[in-house]
Amino acid sequence: MTAVAGVVSQPDLEMELTDIADKDIWVFKFKCLTATLEDVARQKAILAQNHQWSDIEYLPKQDQLVFETWNAIPNTYINMKKYAFGVLSIFGSTYVCEQVFSNMNYIKNKYRSRLTDDSLQACVKMKVTYYSPDVQTLCTEVQEQKSH
C-alpha cells in the first residue's frame, strides 16, 4: 500500500485502526461527520429541487468537511492518515480532470472553433475557479468619466 506521503505499514495501520475504533471521541467525530455530510446532501437536493442553484454555493463544502476531520486526527495515527489521504486524493484528482475536460468541451464547441490555446486556457480557468469579485470595492476604485 502506498500513499501520498510515503509507504503505509499494513501491520501498523491495523493497530492504529484497532486503537482509534476503541476511542469514543474519534468514533463520535466520524459519526458527526457522516450526519453532517448527509445533512448537506439533503439540503443540496432541496435547493436543487426548488431551483435555488445560487444558494448551493453557501452550503459547507463536503470535501472540506472530510479533510478537516482527517486533519484533526493526531499524527500518532500517521499510517491511517496517509492511507486515507491517498484514497481521498485519487477520487478528487480524477473528478477535477473530468470536470476540466467537460468544461473545455462546453467552451470549445463548433461555434467557438477559433479559440487560441491561451484564450481557451483562460476560459477554462474562469469556468473551474471559484472566484467572486468584490464589485463594490472595484467600483470605488474606478475613476468616473467626466463629461466634456
Side-chain angles (χ1 to χ4, degrees):
M1 293 181 221
T2 60
V4 175
V7 177
V8 173
S9 165
Q10 186 172 352
D12 291 342
L13 174 64
E14 291 172 1
M15 290 299 291
E16 290 174 13
L17 287 168
T18 304
D19 186 52
I20 204 166
D22 195 39
K23 308 270 194 253
D24 290 339
I25 189 169
W26 296 112
V27 172
F28 179 73
K29 191 158 188 79
F30 280 102
K31 284 182 179 179
C32 286
L33 172 64
T34 302
T36 304
L37 292 173
E38 289 172 354
D39 187 49
V40 169
R42 198 172 10 264
Q43 290 176 31
K44 194 181 287 188
I46 291 169
L47 290 172
Q49 183 179 14
N50 295 327
H51 304 288
Q52 295 173 309
W53 308 110
S54 60
D55 292 341
I56 291 176
E57 71 183 62
Y58 298 113
L59 293 174
K61 304 287 183 236
Q62 293 168 310
D63 56 346
Q64 186 176 1
L65 293 170
V66 171
F67 279 105
E68 285 173 0
T69 302
W70 278 102
N71 280 327
I73 293 176
N75 283 336
T76 53
Y77 301 104
I78 193 68
N79 287 291
M80 194 171 71
K81 287 176 78 168
K82 284 180 190 178
Y83 188 75
F85 285 129
V87 170
L88 290 171
S89 66
I90 291 169
F91 299 112
S93 62
T94 58
Y95 168 77
V96 171
C97 288
E98 289 174 19
Q99 182 185 28
V100 168
F101 281 115
S102 176
N103 285 310
M104 188 174 66
N105 286 332
Y106 176 76
I107 291 166
K108 192 170 184 175
N109 57 40
K110 65 181 180 179
Y111 302 110
R112 298 178 77 186
S113 59
R114 291 188 174 182
L115 285 175
T116 64
D117 287 343
D118 291 338
S119 60
L120 177 62
Q121 184 179 6
C123 289
V124 169
K125 269 187 191 175
M126 290 299 293
K127 185 73 174 160
V128 298
T129 302
Y130 295 106
Y131 174 72
S132 180
D134 184 1
V135 178
Q136 294 291 357
T137 304
L138 291 172
C139 289
T140 60
E141 293 174 355
V142 174
Q143 183 179 1
E144 296 178 22
Q145 183 176 2
K146 307 285 186 198
S147 72
H148 301 311

